[in-house]
Amino acid sequence: MTVVKKQLVVFDFDWSMADQDTDRWVMEVLAPDLRRKMRDLSDVVQWTDLVAQTLVELHGRGGTREQIIDSLKIMPFHPAMVRAVKKLQAAKSPETTFLCLSNANQVYINTILEARGLTDLFDEIVTNPATWKESGLLEVRRRVDPNGPQHSCQVGCNPNMCKGEELTAYLERKGETFDRMVYIGDGTNDFCPILRFRAQDLVLARSFRGLQERIKKEGDAAGLKPQVKYWGGAWEVEEIFIGLLESGSRVE
């Protein structure tokens, strides 16, 4: 048994840290017809490109920066999740580093974190770049430029980003060894990074979503090593995080 002195907590964002999907939520609030169009085109246009395309269309019909920001500020985000991460962040033992791996975008995530008082939570936020233009247009781009070298994922990550490769690159940049890593995710593209987790690590997969399905169908064959716990609401994540802080918390 090894005492956990340092741990890395990795969050997906949509439907994992937050209780909604940022890309879809903005259009549901501001332009439901564009949200319908996104659904109709999602099988034929790469998702990040589709989000960018839809934002251009929203801007063209008079959608403003303020409207987008206001819609993000009211997006569901459970108070229990805020409490959970703040408790881990404040604790001295184990020392916790937070990383975000998300297919949303930098503006959406930063806006929501600011609204929830969590701007200093993450060591890094690895996501799609986004910038406000002087005209008020929010320009979103793929993290992996479609015109440049592509990632080499064979597990099924989206073209814009391989979360497994991004996790490995982050760990190499940090140059640190964590006694325990914890992953909180929900989607099918969260399967790749958890394949890089060890037996002493922990996966918190949201129930009845794509990650749970992939774990059950592919986990054994893919050699998935970490412990897996399923959760439905943020209050359950809070319970688990409290457990991680119990005196003498250990891993095998």
Side-chain angles (χ1 to χ4, degrees):
M1 302 286 280
T2 303
V3 175
V4 177
K5 295 181 179 179
K6 297 176 65 175
Q7 63 182 359
L8 176 68
V9 173
V10 186
F11 267 98
D12 171 46
F13 196 79
D14 294 335
W15 289 118
S16 297
M17 172 163 269
D19 271 336
Q20 253 292 347
D21 178 285
T22 50
D23 295 329
R24 293 167 174 84
W25 172 263
V26 168
M27 295 305 159
E28 288 172 13
V29 172
L30 300 179
D33 63 310
L34 293 182
R35 171 68 179 93
R36 172 62 62 184
K37 188 174 181 179
M38 291 175 76
R39 174 176 285 184
D40 293 342
L41 293 176
S42 61
D43 290 335
V44 294
V45 181
Q46 194 278 328
W47 183 258
T48 310
D49 296 347
L50 180 57
V51 172
Q53 172 184 311
T54 307
L55 285 166
V56 169
E57 193 165 349
L58 177 68
H59 178 69
R61 62 169 64 174
T64 66
R65 174 174 178 165
E66 291 72 23
Q67 288 174 329
I68 292 173
I69 289 173
D70 288 346
S71 72
L72 292 166
K73 287 180 177 179
I74 63 170
M75 199 181 90
F77 196 111
H78 204 291
M81 189 64 76
V82 177
R83 292 194 304 264
V85 297
K86 284 188 172 182
K87 286 172 183 174
L88 279 190
Q89 185 182 31
K92 294 182 179 179
S93 180
E95 177 187 337
T96 303
T97 300
F98 291 88
L99 169 68
C100 181
L101 296 178
S102 171
N103 280 299
N105 69 68
Q106 199 77 42
V107 167
Y108 283 0
I109 294 172
N110 285 342
T111 299
I112 293 170
L113 292 177
E114 182 178 1
R116 305 298 171 179
L118 298 173
T119 54
D120 65 342
L121 180 68
F122 289 111
D123 181 46
E124 286 190 27
I125 298 173
V126 179
T127 188
N128 296 303
T131 53
W132 291 108
K133 311 303 285 186
E134 287 187 10
S135 65
L137 170 67
L138 179 59
E139 184 179 81
V140 175
R141 304 176 303 282
R142 299 189 200 184
R143 179 169 177 83
V144 176
D145 188 331
N147 298 313
Q150 301 301 290
H151 65 66
S152 58
C153 182
Q154 301 297 312
V155 182
C157 283
N158 297 335
N160 63 289
M161 185 171 88
C162 170
K163 289 188 174 183
E165 290 183 6
E166 296 288 358
L167 174 63
T168 297
Y170 171 80
L171 292 171
E172 290 175 353
R173 287 194 298 275
K174 290 294 287 184
E176 297 181 41
T177 299
F178 295 97
D179 302 312
R180 174 171 60 206
M181 297 193 294
V182 183
Y183 194 99
I184 303 91
D186 75 290
T188 57
N189 58 11
D190 293 313
F191 187 65
C192 181
I194 67 173
L195 291 179
R196 303 172 191 234
F197 273 36
R198 308 154 300 182
Q200 70 261 38
D201 298 327
L202 174 64
V203 173
L204 305 183
R206 197 156 198 177
S207 299
F208 309 114
R209 300 189 66 84
L211 179 57
Q212 180 183 28
E213 184 176 349
R214 288 200 72 178
I215 289 171
K216 291 188 173 181
K217 287 184 177 180
E218 306 172 47
D220 289 343
L224 184 66
K225 298 176 182 177
Q227 179 186 7
V228 178
K229 293 184 178 181
Y230 297 102
W231 60 281
W235 64 275
E236 293 170 287
V237 175
E238 183 180 24
E239 282 185 336
I240 295 168
F241 278 12
I242 290 172
L244 298 180
L245 293 175
E246 290 179 354
S247 178
S249 180
R250 290 173 168 80
V251 295
E252 295 289 342

